[in-house]
Structure formats: C-alpha cells, structure tokens
Amino acid sequence: MSYSVGQVAAVAKVTVRTLHHYDEIGLLVPGGRSHAGHRRYSDADLDRLQQIRFYRELGFPLDEVAALLDDPDADPQEQLRRQHGLLTERITKLQEMAAAVETAMEARRMGINLTPEEKFEVFGDFDPDQYEDEVQQRWGATEAYAESRRRTAAYTKEDWKRINDGMDALHARMADLLGAGTPAASTEAMDAAEAHRLLISDSYYDCSHEMHACLGAMYVDDPRFTATYEAIRPGLAIYLRDAIAANTERHGQRS
C-alpha cells in the first residue's frame, strides 16, 4: 500500500506543508512517486512519521530527531527503552504539575503573598490566580473563605512548600492503597482520608467531616479535580471520595 501526501497528513494530523518540509530536509523522504511525480508514502514511511511525532511531542528539535532515527548502530529495542524512559519522565512531570494544581485549587490562592519567582518555584507553570474570581463567587461569603484568607495571607514560600509536600505524601499514600486493592472503607484508607481532612484544617480552615465529604464529592463532580487525581492514578478521584465518605460515616456524620 502507498498513500498520498494528503492521506498521510489527514491520518497523522499534520499539515501537508510539514510533510513537504520533512521531505526537503531529508527527515521523511517518501518511498515512492506516482507517474505524475507526486509523493507516495509506504507503511514504513508511516512508521517513521510516528517516531518523528513522538520525539517532537517530547520537544526534540528536528536535527536531533534525525540523528536518533538515522543512527546506524541504533537498536530498535533500545529505542523503545529510551522512549519508555522519556515517557516516564513526562508522566512524572505531569503528576507534579497535577499535584500543584490540586493544592492550588484547594488553597484557592487566598491572600497568598509570593513574588512571581516564588510562585513559579512553588507552583511551576500553573498559575493559580486564575481561580480567584470563581472562588470569591462560590465561597466569598463563607467563614471558611475568610479564615483561609487570614491564614494564607501570612504564608511564605516555605509554608506553601510544606503544604505541597504534605499533600503529595497523602496523594501517594492513597494511590498506593488503591493500587494494592485496599477497599476505600478500610481502616487504612479512612485514616488517610482523616489525615487529608486534618491537613486542610491545619493549613486553610476548620474542615468539618461534613464539609470534607462535600469536598470529596467535588473531586468527582468537578472535571478539573477529577483530572488532577486521575493523573496521579486512574480511579483515585472516586477512591478518595469514597474513603472520605466512609471516614465521615465512621465519625458519626452523614456524608
């Protein structure tokens, strides 16, 4: 089978101009030509294009992509291992960003007094300020909002790092329990949920068990929270919600 440049562009979701450029620089030269001189791509060409797109997604410049793919001593198995390592690094980075998003959304950035450099160091590329209008609209009239503003107004970079580290540890603990098949209503999971509630209470506002159950429901109902937890481990949003609900029941409150 051979494919026209338009067919390849549609399947690979790249532009025809991109394919022309790859041909011109020798990165992806089509294996054949039609009688009219038009480019025709083989299955092997499509495989190479898939490799090109993978490395480009990871930020590799075109010259480095060419060097990787055209190395005569390259072992296909070693390339797969390299790709696995690169993906693992990307996943780790995304998980770190997701944890920062979750912490920032939970904290709601109320009264935080950090320089732009410190914000970047604590929260990375995520800008938590974008949620402030929504926070004020939804919770601005509550005592919890006012209390959180009072507390976080005095927080330093070190305070936020401490909170982030504590939340990261709790997320990892919950993810490990989920991965081990531990029921959400188990003592271990409920204890982790209680530690989560106490961290919120210590850091932001007095989080009652009933309020904690509402937060747990929000982790599933709000796609932004769900995505944050799913990036840590698939199914974690629901697992955390259920563990919080079980812990709420354990303490004699209705979830």
Side-chain angles (χ1 to χ4, degrees):
M1 292 265 319
S2 67
Y3 310 88
S4 70
V5 66
Q7 289 173 318
V8 174
V11 170
K13 294 181 174 58
V14 298
T15 65
V16 171
R17 178 176 294 182
T18 295
L19 293 174
H20 287 177
H21 179 60
Y22 288 173
D23 184 7
E24 291 166 0
I25 65 175
L27 180 60
L28 180 64
V29 178
R33 295 274 177 171
S34 69
H35 293 300
H38 297 145
R39 295 172 175 85
R40 301 296 299 183
Y41 292 83
S42 66
D43 289 335
D45 295 331
L46 293 184
D47 288 341
R48 183 178 175 90
L49 178 57
Q50 183 180 41
Q51 296 293 312
I52 293 169
R53 290 196 62 208
F54 170 80
Y55 286 115
R56 291 294 287 160
E57 285 290 330
L58 292 174
F60 280 67
L62 292 178
D63 57 346
E64 290 188 24
V65 174
L68 285 168
L69 297 182
D70 295 332
D71 182 357
D73 298 323
D75 178 2
Q77 188 66 22
E78 180 58 31
Q79 281 202 349
L80 288 175
R81 282 193 291 268
R82 180 191 294 126
Q83 290 176 1
H84 181 270
L86 291 170
L87 284 173
T88 300
E89 290 177 8
R90 172 64 64 86
I91 290 170
T92 299
K93 177 61 177 177
L94 289 174
Q95 287 177 341
E96 291 173 354
M97 292 174 63
V101 170
E102 196 275 342
T103 299
M105 290 177 67
E106 212 159 70
R108 296 308 193 189
R109 281 289 285 111
M110 291 179 256
I112 186 170
N113 291 318
L114 299 182
T115 67
E117 293 78 12
E118 289 174 328
K119 289 180 184 178
F120 184 83
E121 185 174 348
V122 173
F123 297 107
D125 295 331
F126 174 69
D127 179 12
D129 288 330
Q130 62 184 296
Y131 293 102
E132 182 61 21
D133 289 343
E134 178 185 347
V135 171
Q136 291 192 23
Q137 182 178 1
R138 296 178 66 176
W139 295 290
T142 66
E143 175 57 31
Y145 178 89
E147 182 181 357
S148 186
R149 281 193 65 88
R150 285 194 298 270
R151 292 194 196 180
T152 59
Y155 281 0
T156 65
K157 178 182 66 177
E158 287 69 27
D159 293 324
W160 285 107
K161 284 187 172 182
R162 172 181 52 79
I163 294 169
N164 281 355
D165 290 344
M167 199 63 72
D168 287 346
L170 283 172
H171 290 161
R173 180 177 169 187
M174 273 290 187
D176 288 344
L177 290 171
L178 173 59
T182 306
S186 67
T187 300
E188 295 92 335
M190 288 190 291
D191 287 348
E194 179 67 9
H196 184 268
R197 184 187 72 83
L198 292 175
L199 179 57
I200 295 173
S201 293
D202 290 342
S203 304
Y204 306 117
Y205 53 84
D206 183 18
C207 183
S208 67
H209 286 95
E210 288 184 335
M211 184 178 294
H212 198 215
C214 292
L215 288 176
M218 186 174 66
Y219 296 157
V220 175
D221 295 339
D222 190 320
R224 295 168 296 183
F225 280 101
T226 302
T228 296
Y229 285 112
E230 292 302 295
I232 299 172
R233 178 179 286 275
L236 185 57
I238 292 176
Y239 185 80
L240 179 56
R241 178 200 63 186
D242 293 346
I244 290 173
N247 184 58
T248 301
E249 293 286 348
R250 178 173 66 165
H251 285 82
Q253 304 292 327
R254 295 179 62 86
S255 59

